[in-house]
Amino acid sequence: MLRFFLTFVLLQLFLFGVNMLGVVQQHVVLPWTALLARACVALVTMFDDTAAAAGKVLWNTATGFGVSIEPGCNGIEACIVLFAAVMAFPSSWRHKLVGLAIGFLAVQGLNVVRVISLFYLGQWNMQVFNFAHEYLWQALIMLDVLIVWLLWVRAGSKSQESSGPPSPPEDPPAPPAHSAASPKPAGPLVSTSLDLSPPVR
């Protein structure tokens, strides 16, 4: 448990440090954030043709309201936490890769829902927008990370149990039946005499 915790913390420190590098921000974070904004617009325009994207900003062409997807809102930090938790937990590499792929899709899928919901909450009520942005969605994203990780750990433990050695039978095997009949006693075991008179003195 201590090894898991230390590895988890060290991986987070390293990955968050890499994430803050200028070259990573320019060539990874910003392009991903712009792609996230375009994905949100592609979904919103299915039922609202007033939405548009400009870089990392999702905005309404009719009202002029927009939301900018800043660091902390692009799902990268949540994915870093999930990556560190998966890599720190003892498991096979195949199981780790499956967990990372499914976890990335789960976190980013929920993050798209977050951005779109905030886009409309801001146009409806700014107080609700601020509460959802600063508290509600932050907690939901991290709860999503925790649930995905726990389900991944549970799936790994089940696969290990199913691949283990077969369990011994509960009941011992029955002894073989004797085909030959048991021999009959040579003589009677109980006296057949009916003389109950007392002995003569």
Side-chain angles (χ1 to χ4, degrees), residues 70-160:
E70 299 296 334
C73 298
N74 52 19
I76 293 180
E77 289 78 6
C79 287
I80 287 177
V81 176
L82 179 63
F83 179 88
V86 170
M87 296 303 296
F89 193 81
S91 180
S92 65
W93 281 105
R94 179 181 179 182
H95 189 54
K96 289 180 187 293
L97 293 176
V98 172
L100 292 176
I102 296 177
F104 178 82
L105 294 176
V107 171
Q108 292 299 333
L110 185 62
N111 195 58
V112 169
V113 176
R114 169 170 69 170
V115 173
I116 295 176
S117 69
L118 292 175
F119 174 68
Y120 284 102
L121 285 175
Q123 300 178 69
W124 172 60
N125 189 306
M126 284 303 298
Q127 290 183 347
V128 177
F129 170 86
N130 291 330
F131 173 78
H133 175 251
E134 296 176 6
Y135 302 104
L136 179 61
W137 271 115
Q138 296 290 347
L140 290 177
I141 290 294
M142 295 313 299
L143 180 62
D144 182 38
V145 171
L146 178 61
I147 291 175
V148 169
W149 183 75
L150 290 176
L151 291 176
W152 172 79
V153 171
R154 183 178 181 183
S157 61
K158 284 187 176 181
S159 63
Q160 289 180 356

